[in-house]
């Protein structure tokens, strides 16, 4: 008898927990608060982005092109010629 009452109490607590959780989650108050929170975050990011300092680009003409020197001791591989060749 005591064991069945204990299980019944556990079941009631679990059902009550889910019921109250869903009731709060789908309430209008929670929806308003979540919308306000999203709006507040949006305003904060907008204000933060306005106050950002923009740095000038200092990467103009920093790439130096090096002439390719052909090494006489290096073997030339013609891989693409072998693939394209039908014979």
């Amino acid at each position: 008898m005591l064991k069945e009452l204990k299980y019944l109490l556990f079941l009631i607590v679990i059902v009550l927990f889910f019921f109250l959780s869903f009731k709060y989650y789908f309430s209008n108050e929670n929806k308003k608060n979540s919308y306000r929170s999203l709006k507040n975050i949006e305003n904060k990011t907008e204000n933060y982005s306005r106050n950002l300092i923009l740095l000038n680009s200092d990467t103009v003409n920093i790439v130096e092109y090096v002439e390719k020197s052909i090494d006489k001791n290096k073997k030339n591989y013609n891989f693409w010629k072998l693939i394209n060749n039908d014979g």
Side-chain angles (χ1 to χ4, degrees):
M1 178 72 180
L2 189 59
K3 194 173 187 179
E4 287 85 15
L5 287 175
K6 185 172 78 173
Y7 287 140
L8 182 64
L9 180 67
F10 287 158
L11 184 66
I12 290 173
V13 168
I14 291 171
V15 169
L16 188 65
F17 170 75
F18 282 114
F19 175 72
L20 292 175
S21 296
F22 285 126
K23 184 179 175 184
Y24 175 73
Y25 182 73
F26 291 113
S27 70
N28 286 334
E29 181 181 339
N30 185 37
K31 289 179 184 177
K32 287 178 187 178
N33 288 339
S34 64
Y35 178 74
R36 286 179 188 154
S37 169
L38 291 173
K39 193 70 170 169
N40 191 15
I41 290 172
E42 186 176 312
N43 289 337
K44 282 183 180 179
T45 54
E46 207 171 290
N47 289 336
Y48 184 75
S49 64
R50 281 191 209 128
N51 296 331
L52 280 177
I53 299 172
L54 295 178
L55 299 175
N56 292 330
S57 175
D58 61 347
T59 59
V60 178
N61 297 328
I62 63 166
V63 176
E64 294 179 10
Y65 294 99
V66 178
E67 293 292 327
K68 182 178 177 183
S69 62
I70 299 174
D71 192 11
K72 301 239 181 206
N73 295 330
K74 187 175 178 181
K75 185 176 180 181
N76 290 335
Y77 295 101
N78 297 320
F79 181 77
W80 290 112
K81 288 182 184 177
L82 292 173
I83 290 178
N84 291 335
N85 195 359
D86 291 336

